[in-house]
Amino acid sequence: PYDERIKITSSGAAYEVLLNTWEENRIELLEQFRVLLLDQQNHCLAVSTIATGGVSGCLADPRIIFATALKAKASSLILAHNHPSGNVQPSQADQDLTRKLRDGGRLLDIAVLDHLIVTPRTYLSFADEGLMPG
């Protein structure tokens, strides 16, 4: 129900919602890519697991990400994936994927607001660090 949706007002709020969806035994074992689907007022519609990979990577298919967003009638997204190593620094591949998804979102009028790299103890927000592509 609408009145029970969590409003995402910061990267910290998004991190808390995302962390609650990760299995404790998997977050430091396998890399997973998720999206936080938001309505026009930044209320969380759902968290969707897009891909599960291995220890050092996973493949996030933009077609699956945007198909999921369109089915949920999401107005915006927050991208997220974990680094089992515990290192929250984004790789060049992380930055390239963020740019590609931001551009794709513009075509569909679905804003990509942030990309979080998550560990059980901390996170990095592309938006907070000025790493979101313009």
Side-chain angles (χ1 to χ4, degrees), residues 14-26:
Y15 171 68
E16 290 301 320
V17 169
L18 288 159
L19 196 58
N20 285 324
T21 69
W22 245 284
E23 292 176 47
E24 189 176 332
N25 295 332
R26 289 188 142 214

Side-chain angles (χ1 to χ4, degrees), residues 23-31 53-56 82-85:
E23 292 176 47
E24 189 176 332
N25 295 332
R26 289 188 142 214
I27 194 166
E28 294 180 288
L29 178 64
L30 299 171
E31 190 166 311
V55 173
S56 60
N82 64 313
H83 278 177
S85 68

Side-chain angles (χ1 to χ4, degrees), residues 30-81:
L30 299 171
E31 190 166 311
Q32 293 184 308
F33 194 96
R34 297 183 181 196
V35 291
L36 195 63
L37 302 156
L38 305 173
D39 67 13
Q40 288 182 345
Q41 288 78 39
N42 288 346
H43 290 103
C44 182
L45 298 169
V47 177
S48 181
T49 301
I50 301 298
T52 299
V55 173
S56 60
C58 72
L59 180 64
D61 187 332
R63 293 170 292 187
I64 301 298
I65 292 167
F66 288 115
T68 302
L70 290 166
K71 282 183 182 180
K73 299 180 185 123
S75 295
S76 58
L77 310 172
I78 295 176
L79 312 171
H81 74 283

